[in-house]
Amino acid sequence: MKSITQLFKHLILFLVGSGAYYFIEVLWDGNSHWTMALLGGICFIAIGLINEFLSWDTSMWIQALIGSVIVTILEFIFGCVLNIWLKLGIWDYSQMPLNIFGQVCLVFSMFWFFLSILAILLDDYLRYWLFGEEEPHYKLI
């Protein structure tokens, strides 16, 4: 029974992250690709797991930095598969400074840092409100 509850919890969190990522893409660029919803759900779950491995005493900026690295790595993997290997051309950061193969760049990694803060807060409060997990508390520095 516990595994079904865990599966349901992660499905809900995946769908929240999926929808949020897709919505942000549409707001930012006017459109998106269905694979970005998949990426968003995976990113949200991964960011949510930060508190499962680190204590609540870990500063928010460290958590956000880890979140940014997680999203950047996942975006790079998805970009290499979708854009380079499958040639879908979903995004191209090759004109951005400090990019890697046009799939990730420093500017968007910094953007993911700030979005990670929102994702951490949303994940923690959803876990608290919907699933009765520990009430969130944070250390800023």
Side-chain angles (χ1 to χ4, degrees):
M1 187 67 160
K2 185 177 179 180
S3 62
I4 291 175
T5 304
Q6 286 291 97
L7 181 63
F8 177 72
K9 175 175 63 175
H10 285 102
L11 177 62
I12 295 297
L13 294 171
F14 176 86
L15 291 173
V16 168
S18 178
Y21 198 99
Y22 191 85
F23 181 70
I24 290 168
E25 285 253 320
V26 170
L27 280 178
W28 183 265
D29 197 33
N31 65 355
S32 190
H33 190 268
W34 69 268
T35 56
M36 297 302 93
L38 178 63
L39 175 58
I42 294 169
C43 287
F44 193 68
I45 293 290
I47 289 170
L49 291 174
I50 292 171
N51 278 339
E52 301 299 314
F53 296 102
L54 301 176
S55 77
W56 286 99
D57 291 332
T58 304
S59 73
M60 180 60 81
W61 78 269
I62 294 290
Q63 291 183 56
L65 181 62
I66 293 167
S68 176
V69 169
I70 288 169
V71 175
T72 300
I73 289 169
L74 289 170
E75 189 174 60
F76 182 76
I77 292 167
F78 269 63
C80 286
V81 171
L82 298 171
N83 296 324
I84 295 174
W85 184 39
L86 297 176
K87 301 187 185 319
L88 294 179
I90 299 169
W91 72 87
D92 181 4
Y93 297 149
S94 60
Q95 301 303 314
M96 300 291 289
L98 301 170
N99 76 81
I100 301 173
F101 303 129
Q103 303 312 302
V104 293
C105 66
L106 183 60
V107 172
F108 277 91
S109 289
M110 291 187 309
F111 183 66
W112 301 135
F113 175 88
F114 294 105
L115 277 179
S116 289
I117 294 171
L118 296 175
I120 290 164
L121 294 171
L122 181 59
D123 174 82
D124 290 344
Y125 277 97
L126 285 173
R127 288 170 180 265
Y128 173 63
W129 292 327
L130 299 177
F131 308 111
E133 293 188 10
E134 185 176 357
E135 184 174 3
H137 52 280
Y138 303 100
K139 182 178 175 185
L140 296 178
I141 299 176

